[in-house]
Amino acid sequence: MSRIMRFDHVGVTVRDLDKVTAFFVGLGLEIEGRTFVEGEFIDTVIAIPDSRTEIVMLRTPDGGTGVELSSFVRPDPEPGSPAAMANELGLRSVAFEVDDLQAHVGRLAGEGYGLVGGIGQYEDVWRMAYVRGPEGIIVALAERSS
């Protein structure tokens, strides 16, 4: 029986690759690589002929699951719903465990990225908040309670 070997990455299509990359680097992710992809491989995988995209691959410092940011050169990107709420169908958030939730939330607020709701406490285990980042990306930040 075939099986999944590991969770490698989550892909996010964005318009402003530099701005979104800076946002995730500011959270503590590290750039693993940046490149353009075009040709038969990408045309086959995504089923969009003559496509060209620029990709930045980011990873957590421990080398875990990555975030692949992709910005299409061609065809033109299609607008999504930058104000999507948690009940809208589709991928809604990417989540990270952090060491100081309040510090992250404060720094991001200073950069213009606000909370979707508030900081919630789940039992005595987690504190968590959704932050709406660039292009409407929701980032869940969670801190283990002491």
Side-chain angles (χ1 to χ4, degrees):
M1 179 174 164
S2 64
R3 62 188 178 98
I4 291 175
M5 302 300 293
R6 69 184 176 106
F7 188 174
D8 185 72
H9 71 274
V10 172
V12 182
T13 302
V14 302
R15 185 175 301 277
D16 189 334
L17 191 59
D18 292 330
K19 182 177 183 176
V20 179
T21 298
F23 174 81
F24 281 106
V25 168
L27 285 176
L29 274 69
E30 299 169 350
I31 297 174
E32 187 175 74
R34 184 172 185 151
T35 191
F36 285 93
V37 179
E38 64 184 323
E40 184 180 346
F41 165 74
I42 193 71
D43 292 355
T44 299
V45 171
I46 67 172
I48 301 175
D50 195 35
S51 60
R52 177 177 168 88
T53 184
E54 186 174 10
I55 293 172
V56 173
M57 183 60 76
L58 301 152
R59 293 247 180 239
T60 55
D62 67 357
T65 302
V67 174
E68 177 191 82
L69 303 177
S70 178
S71 181
F72 277 82
V73 176
R74 60 176 193 268
D76 289 336
E78 294 290 327
S81 178
M85 295 304 289
N87 65 332
E88 188 172 318
L89 298 178
L91 182 65
R92 282 302 114 227
S93 67
V94 58
F96 300 100
E97 182 178 347
V98 297
D99 60 354
D100 186 340
L101 178 61
Q102 196 61 55
H104 278 284
V105 167
R107 182 184 60 76
L108 291 169
E111 296 174 10
Y113 303 115
L115 293 173
V116 171
I119 296 175
Q121 178 75 43
Y122 179 74
E123 298 179 350
D124 291 329
V125 182
W126 291 101
R127 293 178 65 228
M128 189 170 100
Y130 275 7
V131 175
R132 189 166 310 269
E135 301 191 24
I137 298 168
I138 296 175
V139 176
L141 301 175
E143 176 184 23
R144 285 192 184 276
S145 299
S146 335

